[in-house]
Amino acid sequence: MSQTAALRLRQAIARTEEATRERSPIGRSPEEADDVLGTFTTDGALGFDPFPFLQAIYGAGSRAVVIGQVAGIMHGSTELTGDLDLLWDGTPDEAHALRDALALCGCTELPDLDRSQVGYRVTGASGDLCTSALPWGAMDVTPCLTSAETTRDPTGFTIRYAALDDLIRMRRALGRSKDHRRADELTRLRT
């Protein structure tokens, strides 16, 4: 199993840390990101480190799949981000695993995992937990759970992330300015 995608993400997190080192909080959460620049311009980028949560997800036995810009970075996108979005199957077993991972990473207010999309916050990361029941334009994202790619982090855990073609389709289905731009970048990376 390749480490390339995990190493890309580790490099992006280092670049995020460097780029935000002198930045002061502005009081804008990732939920308030604009549709063009994304969450990198929010306070979510300050101290952004998804690796402890990703390791906890793996340790809890979760099969959640990284989506959004973190998955884009893992495929080679150069745009930085300030949130970690995940797709999961909505089953009780998976909800239990996600709750364990959230609690392990400092989530004091566990989100309502009976909803198709819910925000979360843990030490180092925040984002959305989305089930395949969430309307995704005309796209059915359920197959993305089984077609996910995997990468092995050098510290010894596996990360599941959306396959490149799935991620491009997800971006196009969402249709925001940043999604079209990022889908175009991902399409160029494929060739």
Side-chain angles (χ1 to χ4, degrees), residues 65-143:
V65 174
V66 174
I67 58 173
Q69 187 54 16
V70 170
I73 289 167
M74 295 175 82
H75 284 291
S77 174
T78 59
E79 285 193 42
L80 300 176
T81 188
D83 69 338
L84 172 67
D85 297 326
L86 299 167
L87 179 66
W88 64 290
D89 65 13
T91 63
D93 286 345
E94 186 65 28
H96 180 75
L98 283 172
R99 281 189 192 95
D100 286 351
L102 287 162
L104 182 66
C105 289
C107 183
T108 56
E109 294 183 36
L110 292 176
D112 179 4
L113 296 180
D114 291 330
R115 297 174 42 206
S116 62
Q117 178 180 8
V118 64
Y120 74 91
R121 180 172 301 283
V122 295
T123 303
S126 63
D128 289 320
L129 300 170
C130 306
T131 70
S132 53
L134 180 68
W136 213 280
M139 182 178 179
D140 176 9
V141 296
T142 305

Side-chain angles (χ1 to χ4, degrees), residues 19-61:
T20 61
R21 184 167 286 129
E22 303 296 321
R23 189 194 302 175
S24 298
I26 57 174
R28 221 164 113 211
S29 69
E31 296 81 25
E32 299 171 293
D34 67 55
D35 286 344
V36 176
L37 300 176
T39 59
F40 179 71
T41 61
T42 71
D43 291 349
L46 304 176
F48 181 61
D49 181 3
F51 283 100
F53 188 43
L54 291 170
Q55 185 170 13
I57 287 168
Y58 173 77

Side-chain angles (χ1 to χ4, degrees), residues 119-173:
Y120 74 91
R121 180 172 301 283
V122 295
T123 303
S126 63
D128 289 320
L129 300 170
C130 306
T131 70
S132 53
L134 180 68
W136 213 280
M139 182 178 179
D140 176 9
V141 296
T142 305
C144 299
L145 293 166
T146 55
S147 62
E149 297 184 24
T150 58
T151 185
R152 187 85 173 156
D153 186 76
T155 63
F157 64 95
T158 300
I159 304 168
R160 298 181 76 233
Y161 62 105
L164 182 58
D165 288 341
D166 289 340
L167 188 58
I168 291 169
R169 282 192 298 276
M170 292 169 92
R171 291 285 193 204
R172 299 263 185 242

